[in-house]
Amino acid sequence: MDWSGKKVIVGVTGSIAVFKACELVSQIRQRGASVRVAASPEACRLVSPVTLRALSGEEPITDLFSSAVSPVPHIALAEWGDALVIVPATAHMIAKCAVGLADDPVSAIALCFSGPILMAPAMETKMWLHPATQDNVVRLKKRGSVFVGPVEGWLASGKKGLGRMAEVETILAELEKLLFPKRDLEGLKVVVTVGATREPLDPVRFLSNRSSGKMGSAIAQVARERGADVVLIAGQMEVEPPPDVPVRKVETAQEMMEQVMALADWLDIFVGCAAVSDYTVDKQEVKIPRRQEPLTITLKPTPDILSAVRQRRPDAFLVGFSAETGDPITRASRKLKEKGLNLIAANDVSRPDSGFGSDTNLCTFISADGSSVTLPLLTKREVAERLWDAISQMVKDRK
């Protein structure tokens, strides 16, 4: 794809992976984009500004008082660029961006920049996995920053582990998504259910499950980014919902049913990603006392939200999720037919890398025509992208 007319800022920081930043600058320029480089003092100890100037074709910004762009270079550059790539993104730079420090050209530009920011972390495994770093990453993701990597591989210490910077081609692919965002869902109205419902037993206890809401939140966020009007109906979540998506909070399956049906005539696409309790009980008005003998509780089925939407809206595009153990494909296929879905995503939640609360998922998409696609292990954001790719194409094929 020709990137002509696009303007990219590359923020280079002090990591041994800086050699990949040099290749990235060259590749961005070869694709036709204009590129300007800002480098931290630590980066300049590892790569010469002369090299950065030769690769970008422009004088790099190496201190806050450089006059290469303007008397206030970090402001001028932040207003100039369409996207900011921080590569390598060290633990130190991630921390500075998370708390809003601005004592070098890269962090100063990041604090001024209002466009999309892509970070490619590179550091030792223990630094990446440290709770402080992970908290900073979560904070930046909530603000909209996109992370690519790190990956497993050889590190500067000579050890193998998680912390190696993603390859240049992978970073370029993510950058292209930011520069040329898909808008294939414009005009579509989408409702997504997310999180876990809670069915009260008494004033202090409830029946629920381990759903974190990560998958549904990613689905809503991607749909919004691709142009859809999105409403999120949320049960209990361990993550913050997307900042630009309206949220209707619910607790029980019945409350979720009511909110979904209130939007049933409005929606074009319904994605049932919430882990809705299959059973409820008659709530006791006082706390059930502890006894030595066994306690018998009668469970009653909760409303079938997907079937209700299909009955109300036979023309809507319905997507379900089937979180199973044992044989997820067979059970998901049965659910697809019973509820009249257009598409279902099956995943085995007994796996630690694709269960409730994980950051990754291993899904198989099954369509109403019987065709299926099994995805590799991906982040939940990547699964959401693939899901909307499939939905978008199927919706087009229906027209």
Side-chain angles (χ1 to χ4, degrees):
M1 180 182 290
D2 185 5
W3 291 14
S4 296
K6 296 297 182 180
K7 295 171 288 187
V8 180
I9 309 164
V10 177
V12 183
T13 70
S15 162
I16 197 63
V18 72
F19 70 94
K20 290 185 180 178
C22 293
E23 175 64 18
L24 181 71
V25 171
S26 177
Q27 288 292 328
I28 292 171
R29 193 178 177 192
Q30 289 178 45
R31 281 164 168 74
S34 299
V35 59
R36 297 299 303 263
V37 177
S40 69
E42 295 80 8
C44 292
R45 297 181 66 180
L46 296 169
V47 61
S48 167
V50 174
T51 300
L52 299 175
R53 180 173 65 244
L55 293 172
S56 67
E58 300 285 350
E59 190 69 30
I61 308 302
T62 57
D63 65 72
L64 289 172
F65 306 101
S66 170
S67 60
V69 175
S70 82
V72 192
H74 57 287
I75 299 293
L77 215 56
E79 293 176 346
W80 172 84
D82 296 314
L84 168 63
V85 187
I86 299 180
V87 51
T90 60
H92 187 55
M93 183 57 66
I94 290 171
K96 288 203 289 186
C97 291
V99 299
L101 296 180
D103 61 351
D104 71 88
V106 180
S107 59
I109 291 169
L111 195 60
C112 300
F113 194 67
S114 57
I117 298 176
L118 178 65
M119 292 192 173
M123 65 196 75
E124 287 292 317
T125 303
K126 289 181 179 179
M127 297 176 73
W128 172 251
L129 296 179
H130 194 283
T133 303
Q134 291 302 305
D135 287 347
N136 289 332
V137 170
V138 169
R139 188 181 301 182
L140 290 170
K141 283 183 176 179
K142 287 179 181 178
R143 296 182 196 150
S145 293
V146 177
F147 282 75
V148 53
V151 298
E152 295 271 354
W154 289 106
L155 307 176
S157 63
K159 299 177 182 178
K160 260 190 170 181
L162 180 63
R164 182 180 176 87
M165 196 175 100
E167 295 303 319
V168 170
E169 286 301 321
T170 304
I171 298 169
L172 287 167
E174 290 300 318
L175 177 57
E176 187 168 273
K177 292 178 184 178
L178 297 180
L179 292 172
F180 303 94
K182 290 183 180 179
R183 303 294 292 179
D184 53 341
L185 302 179
E186 285 187 335
L188 293 174
K189 301 178 179 67
V190 174
V191 172
V192 181
T193 60
V194 60
T197 60
R198 290 178 169 181
E199 305 300 322
L201 294 171
D202 61 24
V204 299
R205 303 182 181 95
F206 56 83
L207 297 173
S208 191
N209 56 69
R210 295 186 176 91
S211 175
S212 65
K214 292 179 180 179
M215 189 71 253
S217 184
I219 290 169
Q221 180 68 58
V222 172
R224 184 70 191 91
E225 291 172 1
R226 289 168 68 159
D229 293 324
V230 184
V231 175
L232 194 66
I233 301 176
Q236 182 65 25
M237 298 175 63
E238 295 179 6
V239 295
E240 291 294 323
D244 54 348
V245 174
V247 180
R248 299 189 181 189
K249 292 290 294 181
V250 300
E251 182 175 1
T252 66
Q254 181 60 40
E255 291 174 358
M256 184 168 283
M257 172 77 158
E258 291 169 359
Q259 289 294 334
V260 170
M261 296 312 292
L263 294 166
D265 293 332
W266 173 82
L267 62 84
D268 299 305
I269 300 172
F270 176 68
V271 182
C273 190
V276 182
S277 300
D278 293 322
Y279 295 96
T280 187
V281 299
D282 290 324
K283 178 184 175 183
Q284 302 297 307
E285 296 304 319
V286 296
K287 181 183 175 182
I288 301 171
R290 176 182 172 84
R291 299 187 180 93
Q292 294 302 316
E293 63 270 18
L295 176 66
T296 300
I297 298 174
T298 301
L299 301 178
K300 304 182 298 182
T302 55
D304 187 333
I305 298 174
L306 282 165
S307 295
V309 176
R310 173 54 74 214
Q311 184 174 2
R312 176 81 162 264
R313 287 292 308 280
D315 59 324
F317 193 97
L318 267 58
V319 181
F321 270 72
S322 187
E324 304 287 352
T325 60
D327 186 5
I329 305 300
T330 299
R331 294 181 181 181
S333 298
R334 186 184 309 121
K335 182 177 178 180
L336 174 85
K337 294 177 181 178
E338 290 175 351
K339 301 180 185 298
L341 307 181
N342 300 93
L343 182 68
I344 195 166
N347 70 302
D348 186 350
V349 295
S350 66
R351 291 176 52 116
D353 55 2
S354 66
F356 290 136
S358 69
D359 292 322
T360 54
N361 212 345
L362 187 64
C363 285
T364 296
F365 296 161
I366 307 170
S367 303
D369 63 6
S371 62
S372 65
V373 176
T374 298
L375 304 179
L377 186 67
L378 300 170
T379 66
K380 290 185 173 177
R381 164 78 189 208
E382 290 169 333
V383 171
E385 292 278 7
R386 299 286 190 93
L387 179 68
W388 284 113
D389 287 344
I391 294 171
S392 177
Q393 186 58 55
M394 294 173 72
V395 169
K396 289 179 181 176
D397 291 343
R398 294 175 74 190
K399 295 181 179 179

